[in-house]
Amino acid sequence: MATITRLQLRLQLLHTPATLKPSILLPNVPRLSPSSFNFKSTRSFSTTPLLCSVSDHVPESSGNGASASIVGDLLDYLNESWTQFHATAEAKRHLVAAGFHLLNENDEWDLKPGGRYFFTRNMSSLIAFAVGDKYVVGNGFHVIAAHTDSPCLKLKPKSASSKAGYLMVNVQTYGGGLWYTWFDRDLTVAGRVIVRSKDGSFLHKLVKVKKPLLRIPTLAIHLDRTVNKDGFKPNLETHLIPLLASKLEETSLESKDKSTTMSSKDNHHPLLMQVLSDELSCDIEDIVDIELNVCDTQPSCLGGGNNEFIFSGRLDNLASSYCALRALIDSSKSDSDLSSEHAIRMVALFDNEEVGSGSVQGAGAPTMFQAIRRISSCLADKYAGEGAYERAIRQSFLVSADMAHGVHPNFVDRHEEHHRPVMQKGLVIKHNANQRYATSGVTSFLFKEVGRIHNLPTQEFVVRNDMGCGSTIGPILASGVGIRTVDCGIPQLSMHSVREICGKEDIDIAYQHFKAFYKTFSSVDMKLSIDS
C-alpha cells in the first residue's frame, strides 16, 4: 500500500463534507477540528483545510479603510441559512442581538426618532429600519433591497414514491436552476413544519437535517455512451427524483384502499417523517404539514490558491442580503450614528424573487411601501400637511442588490466587449435600456459618487444585444410607486448552480459601499437638482 502523506490527507479532508469527516485518522496524524482551521489568507498556496466556520477568526483589514472583514461572518450566515426561512430567522437573530425591536404587522406601532425596528412576514421576508434623530415628516427612506430565496428543489405535497426497489422523493423545480449540478451531490432537506402542541395549538418550527439524506444519481456512462458528445439533458420530471432509501418489503402507502383517507403525513414516506420527528423531538402524528427544500450538505468555505474565493450554495442572493443587513446594523450601532441623520435607513429582504416576486412575501406585494406609509404616519404625530407619504417616496432612494454576472474565463465572448465585470473589483452597476434593470443615469451617478467619496471601486454591466437579459426586484419596486432605483450586484460565477463562487474581497467592498450609502447618501443627494 502506498504511503499517504500529511498533505494528501489534508487534501482528502478538503473534499469531504463536514458531516462525513472520519472519526479515526491514520496513526501519527492529528485529527483536524473546525476550531483548528487557519483563517488568515496568504499569497502562497496553503494546504490548510478550507474555512467552513469562522466565527472565532481575527478580523482582517479589507483594504478600503475598513477595520475588519465580514467574510467570516458571512460564511457562518450561509452555513446557517439553508432555506429562505432559516435566512430570515438568522437575520432576525442578528437584529435582536444588535438592539432592534421586533414589530408585528398586526399590532399598532409606536415609533420614535433614533429608534431601530424590524418585522418579518411569513418568516421568509423581512423589513428592518433605523430612524434618524433629525427625521421630519416627508423626509426620505434610504433602502437596500435583496432576496432570501435561491433556485432549489422543493418537495411536492405528495412526495412519497417508489421505483425499482427504492424509496424516492418527488420534487418540484423552483426557479431557473442549473439542475444538472444537483446530480451526485450529498443532499438533505430543510425548511419548516407545522407541529400540533399538547394544548391543541399549532407551532411553526424550522428544521434542518444535517446528514446526507438524499442523492440524485447520474446514469453510468456505459448506459449512455453519447452523453459527453450530445450533452446531459435530464428530464426534469422523471430523472430529477432524489433517492431516499432501499424499499422495505411492506405494503405501499400509495395503495388504493388508503388513497382517499390519507392524512398529510401519509403523503410522505414514514422514514422521512421519522427523520423529521427525531429532529424536532415530537411524535410523527403531531407533524401536520411540511414545507421543505432539498439542500446541499457541503458547507460554504473559502477556496482558491490564496483563499481568495468563496465557494457556496445560495450566494445568489444571500451574499447581498447579508452585506445589506450587516451594513444597516453597523451604521446604526450607537446613538451618534443616527444623531445627524434626517432620513430613515432601511433593509428589505424579499422571498420568491427567483419565480417573479408575485406572492404575499415577494417584492410584488406592497409590503415595503405599506411599511413606509405606516412609519411616516406613526412619526407624523399631529402633522396635518399635504402629501407627506408621496413626498417621502420622491426623496427616497432604493439600491436593488442582486448578484451580477462576472466574466467567465472560458466564455469571455458571452459578455459585451466593454462591460466584463471581474471578481475582486467591486460592485457592478447594471444597465439595460429596455428597463430589465431600473438603473438610470442619475441613480447610477449618485451611487457611484458615494463609492468615489469613500474610494470604493465600481464596475458596469450591459448585456449583449443578441442575448436576453435577466431582471431583478428593482424594476418591480421602482415602478410600484416611483422610487428612484439603482440595480447593482457582487460579481460571481456559476450563478444558479448548486455550488457558486464569488470573490472574498468583493464581499467587504459591497459591505463598505452599502454602509457608506447609509451614512453618506443624504449629503450627496442634496447637491443634485433634477426637477426643480
Side-chain angles (χ1 to χ4, degrees):
M1 179 180 293
T3 301
I4 298 179
T5 67
R6 190 183 300 267
L7 172 59
Q8 288 172 321
L9 178 62
R10 284 177 178 266
L11 292 175
Q12 180 181 353
L13 286 173
L14 276 178
H15 296 89
T16 305
T19 52
L20 299 180
K21 289 291 192 294
S23 58
I24 300 177
L25 300 180
L26 297 178
N28 302 321
V29 180
R31 183 175 181 181
L32 299 173
S33 64
S35 61
S36 67
F37 290 171
N38 177 18
F39 177 75
K40 293 183 179 179
S41 173
T42 64
R43 288 300 175 185
S44 60
F45 181 77
S46 172
T47 59
T48 304
L50 299 186
L51 191 75
C52 299
S53 179
V54 291
S55 57
D56 57 350
H57 77 278
V58 177
E60 301 177 356
S61 171
S62 70
N64 292 294
S67 59
S69 169
I70 68 163
V71 170
D73 297 328
L74 169 66
L75 290 178
D76 287 340
Y77 179 76
L78 291 167
N79 283 322
E80 289 297 325
S81 303
W82 283 12
T83 72
Q84 69 276 32
F85 307 117
H86 290 85
T88 304
E90 189 67 6
K92 175 181 176 180
R93 185 183 69 82
H94 280 271
L95 289 164
V96 170
F100 281 68
H101 300 285
L102 175 62
L103 303 173
N104 190 306
E105 286 190 280
N106 298 328
D107 298 336
E108 185 175 349
W109 293 354
D110 181 19
L111 310 179
K112 305 293 183 184
R116 297 170 296 165
Y117 310 91
F118 77 99
F119 66 88
T120 65
R121 179 180 288 189
N122 189 51
M123 193 47 72
S124 63
S125 63
L126 177 148
I127 304 288
F129 57 96
V131 184
D133 276 331
K134 294 188 176 180
Y135 171 84
V136 295
V137 179
N139 284 4
F141 288 69
H142 299 160
V143 188
I144 303 176
H147 62 90
T148 60
D149 62 318
S150 303
C152 66
L153 303 175
K154 292 178 178 285
L155 268 63
K156 291 182 177 178
K158 295 182 179 181
S159 72
S161 67
S162 60
K163 289 184 179 182
Y166 295 100
L167 299 182
M168 313 295 289
V169 178
N170 293 325
V171 295
Q172 305 177 73
T173 56
Y174 175 84
L178 292 174
W179 303 121
Y180 62 85
T181 65
W182 288 71
F183 283 76
D184 293 337
R185 303 288 302 186
D186 296 342
L187 306 174
T188 188
V189 294
R192 68 173 170 193
V193 299
I194 306 299
V195 178
R196 182 188 294 108
S197 63
K198 300 298 184 183
D199 62 4
S201 61
F202 299 101
L203 304 175
H204 170 279
K205 291 190 175 183
L206 300 187
V207 66
K208 181 193 299 182
V209 180
K210 295 184 178 180
K211 70 175 183 178
L213 189 69
L214 304 173
R215 185 92 171 189
I216 309 174
T218 49
L219 183 64
I221 194 170
H222 314 81
L223 304 178
D224 188 8
R225 292 287 187 180
T226 64
V227 65
N228 288 328
K229 180 180 67 175
D230 297 340
F232 181 44
K233 303 174 182 178
N235 182 292
L236 301 184
E237 178 64 23
T238 59
H239 299 157
L240 196 66
I241 307 176
L243 182 154
L244 173 65
S246 299
K247 184 179 179 182
L248 301 177
E249 294 298 328
E250 60 184 19
T251 304
S252 170
L253 288 175
E254 301 296 331
S255 66
K256 294 181 180 179
D257 293 339
K258 302 183 87 176
S259 62
T260 58
T261 59
M262 290 167 64
S263 66
S264 62
K265 66 178 181 297
D266 293 326
N267 293 328
H268 309 283
H269 288 301
L271 177 58
L272 176 61
M273 299 304 295
Q274 184 63 57
V275 170
L276 296 177
S277 69
D278 290 344
E279 289 288 331
L280 296 167
S281 300
C282 70
D283 295 331
I284 293 178
E285 291 73 20
D286 292 331
I287 300 176
V288 297
D289 211 341
I290 65 175
E291 186 174 352
L292 300 178
N293 296 357
V294 176
C295 307
D296 186 19
T297 59
Q298 185 174 359
S300 305
C301 63
L302 294 182
N306 299 310
N307 280 349
E308 69 266 50
F309 301 125
I310 296 175
F311 297 157
S312 175
R314 307 173 306 282
L315 288 174
D316 178 16
N317 192 31
L318 292 186
S320 305
S321 296
Y322 184 75
C323 289
L325 180 74
R326 183 64 178 269
L328 176 65
I329 291 174
D330 289 353
S331 67
S332 310
K333 274 186 174 180
S334 64
D335 293 340
S336 61
D337 288 328
L338 299 171
S339 60
S340 61
E341 179 61 81
H342 292 77
I344 292 177
R345 302 169 181 175
M346 176 179 282
V347 158
L349 306 181
F350 296 102
D351 193 4
N352 299 135
E353 187 276 344
E354 297 293 354
V355 292
S357 299
S359 68
V360 68
Q361 58 272 357
T367 311
M368 188 178 84
F369 300 111
Q370 287 175 346
I372 291 176
R373 187 182 292 276
R374 290 189 68 176
I375 295 167
S376 298
S377 175
C378 188
L379 294 170
D381 194 18
K382 299 179 181 179
Y383 177 82
E386 181 272 333
Y389 170 73
E390 289 77 12
R391 289 190 290 114
I393 291 296
R394 290 308 308 139
Q395 295 192 70
S396 297
F397 193 93
L398 171 71
V399 177
S400 170
D402 205 346
M403 301 299 279
H405 298 290
V407 63
H408 195 301
N410 298 330
F411 299 91
V412 175
D413 61 335
R414 298 302 178 92
H415 273 68
E416 199 278 333
E417 181 180 2
H418 303 291
H419 299 84
R420 292 173 174 168
V422 296
M423 289 192 284
Q424 320 292 12
K425 297 295 184 181
L427 283 170
V428 178
I429 311 298
K430 305 177 185 181
H431 303 263
N432 184 260
N434 297 304
Q435 296 302 298
R436 298 293 289 170
Y437 303 129
T439 306
S440 70
V442 171
T443 61
S444 174
F445 162 73
L446 288 170
F447 192 66
K448 288 189 292 186
E449 181 65 10
V450 169
R452 187 195 65 78
I453 292 171
H454 293 269
N455 197 30
L456 296 164
T458 56
Q459 307 179 75
E460 313 278 355
F461 173 77
V462 175
V463 74
R464 288 170 56 107
N465 289 329
D466 55 0
M467 296 179 65
C469 183
S471 191
T472 69
I473 59 177
I476 296 172
L477 295 171
S479 61
V481 293
I483 186 172
R484 295 175 297 169
T485 302
V486 64
D487 267 298
C488 71
I490 300 167
Q492 72 162 106
L493 299 176
S494 303
M495 186 178 288
H496 287 196
S497 170
V498 72
R499 197 76 176 166
E500 301 172 320
I501 174 175
C502 73
K504 184 176 72 172
E505 291 183 24
D506 287 325
I507 296 300
D508 285 324
I509 294 173
Y511 160 68
Q512 292 297 334
H513 204 137
F514 292 162
K515 190 163 67 169
F517 166 72
Y518 284 131
K519 291 189 172 184
T520 312
F521 186 78
S522 291
S523 61
V524 172
D525 192 32
M526 68 175 56
K527 297 177 182 179
L528 178 67
S529 178
I530 300 295
D531 294 312
S532 59

